């Protein structure tokens, strides 16, 4: 067995639909990916040793809604060689960014909660905060496009 | 340095659950002071986001509240809209809706049981680690999960954010040929699903605390229709459910809790099995006969056995419908809209899901309010965690790391869903500068906007 691609999967503000699609794609790809991928940080799959350090490819699902998320995303970017925006919320912000379009009365209604939990003024797609190398759009992510991007990353890092 | 009997357990970001939550337990002089489940998902404000949108489209938006149980939100919202508009769906549509829910139960429970819980009960950290030890077990798990995923795709178009279910009917209906093929796939996977029932029956840990259980019950153990019943022995109609609820504002969490008749309660598979096991599909009852006497149970880990049984029940209902129904194309007609109010109540994988919705004359949504399963379980989870930690301390055999792992397994047994729990805008935030939860009488499902405006 050769080297593996060190991947991380993290979610921010979203419904985690693409995480679910990923878990359903395991039905067909589990044993292939188990040989080719090493999960550095993936809380959906493992309890111990979740760490971004040494990540080749970070899959980032969800939009950036809070200051804490923004800081986390920057940390992940710094620790990952490639970063992939996964699903609609990560790629374009929506629908998690729906509050950006609220009228003044609705904004006032949500203000207390937003302030209390450190929400940013606007919800952002990932590319607003850090450099994005690849995108897998779709709500949930398009499975075929995910396979394309994963294939590109495997080739780039020389994982057979 | 902590004194003897004084320590904190802080778990940042519980693993192998849906979404983000942290847990905090404080122990002083050997006594648990509090256990707090802090749901840390950022709110996405769906209750505000749907306002002013067409009632014919909002079900697709609220589907985005949750990835894993999107179909539950979709189905419940459609029911509420149809009740508001006075629409009675066709017999075929009703059957397709039940089939859609069957697919959801099989897929969603299989994910939780096989990917998240199975490593726990077999002493592994992850399903990846498990595959090194027992490849064939993981292959079987994936086959069952795949069958549920395929059922959802064939009936509803996709297993996540399904495009076919709509207000008034389905925009596309499967063919009889697809139905037969699907029944065959399910029949094959069912054999493995039964093996998993046995495995969970043998391996589940025990943690008991008396609580009460609430579920929608009906004569066929399906997930749409019926009355909301309690383990205390009484039932309330869907229209009156709200009158029995207390909303508990939890200042340290981005979600709201609920109590029923002033007490914590549990919703989900264990509640359904405790209240309605006699209504399981006859084929299911035959093949899980040795499990049935174990219910009703106060052991929360039995929630996972109940889920394993519901996978079989979902498959048996689906196989029967797929083999016996003559599926016919039904051209979709866009329904006429009007002003109205409607309630939807279904059993989502994690428990009773409740929607209240108002439309205006133009068919736009003026108002929506939801009660989410994980929000209902919130109080119960905290009380269970406090008792589990106290039990561990009293027994004296475990270190903090082990206690911490026990706690995480216990929370996971509930199959909590944080994406769902946090969509809901917490009310009266100004009054809750203090750290303790604050209860308020929910009154009725239609007061949210007025309270929120205060």
């Amino acid at each position: 067995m050769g080297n593996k691609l060190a991947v991380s999967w993290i979610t921010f503000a979203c419904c985690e639909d693409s995480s679910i699609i990923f878990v359903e794609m395991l039905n067909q790809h589990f044993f292939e990916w188990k040989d080719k991928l090493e999960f550095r940080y993936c809380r959906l799959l493992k309890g111990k040793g979740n760490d971004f350090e040494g990540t080749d490819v970070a899959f980032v699902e969800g939009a950036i809604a809070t200051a804490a998320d923004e800081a986390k995303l920057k940390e992940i970017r710094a620790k990952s060689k490639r970063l992939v925006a996964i699903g609609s919320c990560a790629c374009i912000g929506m629908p998690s960014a729906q509050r950006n379009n609220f009228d003044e009365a609705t904004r006032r209604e949500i203000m207390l909660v937003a302030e209390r939990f450190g929400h940013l003024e606007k919800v952002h797609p990932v590319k607003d905060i850090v450099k994005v190398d690849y995108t897998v759009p779709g709500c949930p992510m398009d499975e075929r496009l995910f396979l394309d991007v994963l294939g590109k990353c495997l080739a780039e890092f020389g994982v057979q | 340095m902590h004194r003897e009997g004084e320590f904190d357990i802080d778990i940042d970001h519980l693993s192998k659950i849906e979404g983000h939550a942290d847990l905090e337990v404080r122990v002083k002089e050997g006594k648990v002071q509090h256990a707090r489940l802090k749901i840390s998902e950022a709110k996405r404000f769906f209750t505000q986001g749907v306002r002013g949108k067409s009632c014919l489209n909002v079900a697709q938006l609220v589907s985005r509240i949750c990835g894993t149980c999107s179909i539950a939100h979709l189905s419940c919202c459609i029911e509420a809209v149809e009740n508001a508009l006075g629409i009675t769906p066709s017999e075929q549509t009703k059957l397709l809706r039940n089939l859609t829910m069957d697919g959801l139960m099989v897929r969603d429970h299989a994910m939780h049981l096989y990917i998240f819980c199975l490593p726990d009960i077999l002493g592994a950290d992850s399903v990846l680690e498990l595959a090194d030890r027992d490849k064939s077990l993981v292959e079987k798990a994936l086959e069952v999960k795949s069958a549920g995923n395929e059922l959802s795709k064939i009936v509803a178009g996709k297993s996540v954010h399904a495009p076919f279910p709509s207000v008034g009917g389905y925009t596309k209906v499967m063919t009889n040929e697809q139905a037969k093929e699907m029944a065959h796939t399910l029949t094959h996977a069912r054999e493995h699903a039964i093996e998993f029932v046995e495995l969970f029956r043998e391996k589940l840990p025990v943690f008991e605390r008396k609580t009460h259980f609430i579920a929608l019950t009906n004569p066929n153990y399906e997930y749409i229709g019926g009355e909301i019943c309690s383990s205390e022995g009484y039932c309330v109609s869907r229209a009156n459910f709200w009158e029995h609820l207390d909303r508990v504002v939890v200042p340290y969490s981005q979600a709201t809790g609920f109590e029923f008749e002033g007490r914590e309660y549990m919703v989900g598979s264990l509640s359904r099995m405790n209240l309605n096991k006699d209504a399981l599909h006859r084929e299911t009852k035959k093949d899980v006969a040795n499990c049935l006497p174990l219910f009703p149970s106060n052991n929360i880990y039995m929630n996972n056995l109940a889920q394993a049984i519901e996978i079989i029940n979902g498959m048996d209902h689906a196989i029967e419908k797929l083999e016996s129904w003559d599926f016919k194309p039904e051209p979709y007609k866009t329904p006429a809209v009007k002003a109205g109010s409607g309630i939807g109540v279904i059993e989502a994988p994690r428990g009773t899901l409740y929607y209240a919705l108002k439309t205006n004359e133009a068919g736009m949504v003026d108002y929506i309010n939801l009660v989410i399963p994980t929000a209902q379980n919130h109080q119960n989870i905290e009380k269970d965690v406090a008792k589990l930690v106290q039990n561990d301390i009293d027994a004296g055999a475990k270190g903090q790391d082990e206690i911490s792992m026990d706690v995480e397994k216990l929370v996971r047994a509930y199959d909590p869903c944080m994406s769902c729990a946090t969509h809901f805008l917490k009310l009266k935030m100004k009054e809750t500068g203090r750290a303790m939860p604050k209860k308020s009488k929910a009154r009725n499902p239609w007061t949210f906007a007025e309270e929120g405006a205060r």
Side-chain angles (χ1 to χ4, degrees):
Chain A
M1 196 173 65
N3 62 322
K4 289 187 177 186
L5 187 71
V7 298
S8 288
W9 187 292
I10 185 161
T11 66
F12 292 103
C14 66
C15 71
E16 303 204 335
D17 53 355
S18 300
S19 291
I20 304 304
I21 293 296
F22 176 74
V23 171
E24 291 309 321
M25 289 176 82
L26 292 177
N27 298 339
Q28 275 73 46
H29 298 278
F30 182 88
F31 292 98
E32 176 202 338
W33 288 350
K34 191 175 164 298
D35 286 342
K36 291 183 180 174
L37 307 180
E38 182 207 339
F39 291 91
R40 304 288 303 170
Y41 182 104
C42 184
R43 289 210 167 260
L44 200 61
L45 289 186
K46 60 180 206 171
K48 289 182 193 153
N50 283 293
D51 188 356
F52 291 108
E53 210 62 60
T55 296
D56 293 325
V57 183
F59 297 102
V60 176
E61 182 182 4
I64 305 304
T66 67
D69 286 355
E70 187 179 359
K72 189 89 189 163
L73 178 63
K74 286 177 179 166
E75 181 201 336
I76 294 159
R77 177 69 262 193
K79 289 178 175 171
S80 311
K81 297 187 187 82
R82 295 285 175 271
L83 189 144
V84 183
I86 293 283
S88 176
C89 289
C91 292
I92 59 165
M94 292 299 271
S96 286
Q98 59 192 339
R99 73 172 162 89
N100 294 357
N101 303 328
F102 285 174
D103 60 24
E104 200 44 44
T106 314
R107 290 175 73 81
R108 271 200 302 277
E109 193 182 316
I110 67 167
M111 201 166 62
L112 283 165
V113 173
E115 281 176 3
R116 187 184 180 95
F117 290 101
H119 285 237
L120 298 167
E121 175 69 21
K122 297 254 179 202
V123 180
H124 296 276
V126 171
K127 67 180 178 203
D128 281 7
I129 315 288
V130 296
K131 179 173 178 263
V132 171
D133 298 299
Y134 299 106
T135 56
V136 183
C139 185
M141 71 168 182
D142 184 297
E143 292 182 29
R144 194 178 42 81
L145 294 178
F146 178 76
L147 288 174
D148 283 353
V149 168
L150 183 63
K152 275 184 202 160
C153 292
L154 288 167
E156 191 182 340
F157 285 86
V159 179
Q160 307 272 311
Chain B
M1 279 291 290
H2 279 150
R3 284 186 305 153
E4 183 82 16
E6 184 165 332
F7 62 91
D8 301 334
I9 295 173
D10 288 293
I11 305 174
D12 288 337
H13 199 161
L14 295 153
S15 66
K16 292 176 277 174
I17 57 167
E18 199 294 323
H20 300 222
D22 307 330
L23 199 90
E24 170 193 294
V25 185
R26 293 278 171 269
V27 181
K28 262 188 187 168
E29 293 170 359
K31 298 285 171 216
V32 175
Q33 305 296 303
H34 66 241
R36 289 178 180 166
L37 179 68
K38 303 176 180 181
I39 298 176
S40 47
E41 289 270 331
K43 278 180 191 303
R44 289 165 292 136
F45 304 107
F46 278 92
T47 35
Q48 286 77 21
V50 298
R51 279 185 220 150
K53 298 204 163 57
S54 166
C55 67
L56 302 179
N57 301 334
V58 287
Q60 279 298 335
L61 180 55
V62 295
S63 170
R64 269 72 183 176
I65 286 173
C66 176
T68 195
C69 57
S70 65
I71 281 176
H73 285 275
L74 188 66
S75 305
C76 196
C77 184
I78 287 173
E79 185 178 293
V81 173
E82 288 183 348
N83 284 334
L85 301 181
I87 294 170
T88 307
S90 72
E91 286 309 306
Q92 179 167 280
T93 295
K94 286 183 195 164
L95 179 117
L96 288 168
R97 290 205 174 134
N98 280 319
L99 261 175
T100 302
M101 290 302 292
D102 292 336
L104 170 64
M105 290 294 163
V106 176
R107 188 203 62 74
D108 196 331
H109 284 347
M111 177 186 77
H112 177 249
L113 286 179
Y114 307 154
I115 305 293
F116 301 165
C117 291
L118 197 60
D120 278 349
I121 67 164
L122 296 176
D125 182 58
S126 72
V127 67
L128 299 155
E129 199 180 306
L130 207 58
D132 289 330
R133 285 172 19 192
D134 193 343
K135 189 178 179 190
S136 123
L137 187 74
V138 174
E139 282 171 339
K140 287 175 187 172
L142 294 173
E143 189 183 329
V144 178
K145 200 159 78 64
S146 176
N149 194 40
E150 291 306 312
L151 176 58
S152 292
K153 282 184 179 174
I154 282 186
V155 183
K158 272 182 177 182
S159 61
V160 178
H161 308 326
F164 300 164
S166 306
V167 174
Y170 274 61
T171 53
K172 194 174 172 191
V173 178
M174 76 180 109
T175 63
N176 284 326
E177 196 184 2
Q178 285 176 309
K180 297 289 178 296
E181 201 177 313
M182 191 64 237
H184 181 74
T185 304
L186 286 168
T187 305
H188 194 268
R190 185 183 184 277
E191 288 174 31
H192 302 320
I194 289 172
E195 288 177 47
F196 283 105
V197 170
E198 275 306 295
L199 188 77
F200 277 91
R201 187 182 64 82
E202 285 168 14
K203 300 272 186 184
L204 285 178
V206 178
F207 171 79
E208 292 185 324
R209 188 181 65 84
K210 195 163 166 37
T211 185
H212 68 192
F213 299 92
I214 306 258
L216 196 59
T217 59
N218 58 50
N220 294 317
Y221 206 110
E222 290 193 299
Y223 305 94
I224 299 175
E227 279 192 308
I228 300 163
C229 293
S230 133
S231 53
E232 308 283 285
Y234 61 93
C235 296
V236 297
S237 74
R238 51 185 56 215
N240 296 333
F241 181 48
W242 202 278
E243 290 168 18
H244 300 264
L245 291 182
D246 291 307
R247 185 188 287 124
V248 183
V249 174
V250 190
Y252 44 82
S253 171
Q254 297 214 41
T256 304
F258 285 92
E259 293 183 351
F260 186 83
E261 291 293 319
R263 274 183 56 191
E264 78 278 9
Y265 63 104
M266 196 250 169
V267 294
S269 299
L270 179 58
S271 296
R272 293 191 286 263
M273 277 295 289
N274 279 352
L275 289 160
N276 209 23
K277 65 172 180 177
D278 294 336
L280 286 168
H281 194 279
R282 61 187 182 283
E283 293 297 323
T284 309
K285 279 201 271 196
K286 215 186 289 173
D287 285 329
V288 303
N290 60 346
C291 297
L292 297 178
L294 303 173
F295 299 92
S297 169
N298 282 316
N299 177 10
I300 181 60
Y301 290 105
M302 292 291 271
N303 191 46
N304 298 151
L305 181 63
Q307 289 178 312
I309 292 169
E310 286 189 342
I311 289 178
I312 315 287
N313 185 59
M315 287 176 154
D316 286 337
H317 276 293
I319 291 167
E320 185 177 332
K321 289 176 201 126
L322 292 167
E323 285 178 343
S324 63
W325 190 264
D326 182 18
F327 292 93
K328 293 196 173 107
E330 251 178 333
Y332 180 74
K333 288 191 204 110
T334 305
V337 296
K338 62 173 188 174
S341 59
I343 281 171
V345 188
I346 65 161
E347 281 294 318
R350 292 159 187 79
T352 313
L353 174 65
Y354 179 100
Y355 267 66
L357 176 142
K358 273 185 192 173
T359 56
N360 64 23
E361 279 163 10
M364 300 301 161
V365 174
D366 273 348
Y367 175 90
I368 196 167
N369 204 344
L370 287 72
V371 181
I372 298 290
T374 297
Q376 297 174 75
N377 283 335
H378 190 279
Q379 301 297 96
N380 214 58
I381 292 174
E382 289 188 342
K383 291 200 170 162
D384 273 1
V385 168
K387 182 167 187 226
L388 178 84
V389 173
Q390 193 65 57
N391 287 357
D392 276 355
I393 293 169
D394 294 346
K398 288 181 179 168
Q400 275 183 48
D401 286 350
E402 282 172 283
I403 297 177
S404 187
M405 272 176 67
D406 279 357
V407 165
E408 207 167 345
K409 284 180 197 171
L410 175 79
V411 175
R412 203 174 292 132
Y414 276 89
D415 191 8
C417 182
M418 306 309 170
S419 296
C420 279
T422 49
H423 86 282
F424 195 87
L425 177 65
K426 204 176 320 157
L427 302 170
K428 297 183 177 174
M429 195 54 84
K430 270 184 278 194
E431 298 168 35
T432 56
R434 55 192 172 167
M436 291 309 291
K438 179 179 168 57
K439 286 189 201 178
S440 66
K441 191 69 200 161
R443 283 197 290 271
N444 71 62
W446 310 109
T447 59
F448 172 77
E450 290 84 344
E451 286 179 39
R454 278 214 290 258

